[in-house]
Amino acid sequence: MTIGVLALQGDFREHARMTLALGADVRLIRQPEDLRGVDGLILPGGESTTMGKLMGSFGLDHAIMECFNNGTLAIYGTCAGMILLAREIQDRTDQPRLGLLDVTVRRNAFGRQKESSEEDLAVEGLDPRFHAIFIRAPVIVRTGPEVKVLAAVSEGPVYVQQGRILVSSFHPELGTDTRIHQQFLRLAAQSHTQEV
Ligand code: GLN
């Protein structure tokens, strides 16, 4: 299986390292051609405005949407990646995004005090809890009918799935627990065989 990691900005190296350690082939994605033959795509954490603009200027936004809509591509977005996938971004109607996930997100949702925090999170399908690292994280404030909440904090959902799309507000790639990446690899394998 080949997993692409969007490598325009943000912590793509950490995602690549973790995905490689799980035995997948990893390809750094910088232009539309790089998406050919990729089964899963990771949108890393970083700065969603910058990443969105860069995606647009390289034509990657349309290329990703085309691979998703006309193929079996699975996508996992962390933090800024979650924001890029969201259909709506609260108070940021003009921020560039892919809009494939039927949610509304609020950026930097945890305020100053909890700007960066760690929490042992109850995640559906994972036992024991997952040690989640949040860095200026978004939270989901609206979920569409197709969206399944896999983990939430008091501010709202932070890990959800909609068909072939998985997103987390937190950063599994910065820890040592690979279980979230394993869930994504399973999703990418299933969607490849049309089961999702
Ligand atoms: N606050 C960033 C944004 O809104 C996301 C932070 C992150 O990806 N760690 O784009």
Side-chain angles (χ1 to χ4, degrees), residues 43 48 55 65 75-90 92-107 138-144 147 160 162 165-169:
L43 308 180
S48 57
M55 267 167 57
M65 286 190 269
I75 308 182
Y76 171 38
T78 57
C79 204
M82 170 197 265
I83 298 166
L84 286 171
L85 284 163
R87 184 160 302 166
E88 294 168 340
I89 307 170
Q90 204 172 64
R92 307 281 181 128
T93 44
D94 54 355
Q95 180 175 336
R97 78 202 67 164
L98 299 169
L100 297 170
L101 174 69
D102 186 13
V103 299
T104 305
V105 296
R106 186 192 308 142
R107 290 178 62 185
V139 79
I140 293 174
V141 294
R142 180 194 64 84
T143 52
V147 176
V160 306
Q162 177 193 305
I165 300 180
L166 199 62
V167 294
S168 67
S169 303

Side-chain angles (χ1 to χ4, degrees), residues 163-185:
R164 288 181 274 132
I165 300 180
L166 199 62
V167 294
S168 67
S169 303
F170 53 91
H171 292 273
E173 74 283 7
L174 299 181
T176 52
D177 191 338
T178 58
R179 290 178 294 164
I180 300 278
H181 282 74
Q182 285 174 40
Q183 287 189 331
F184 177 60
L185 291 184

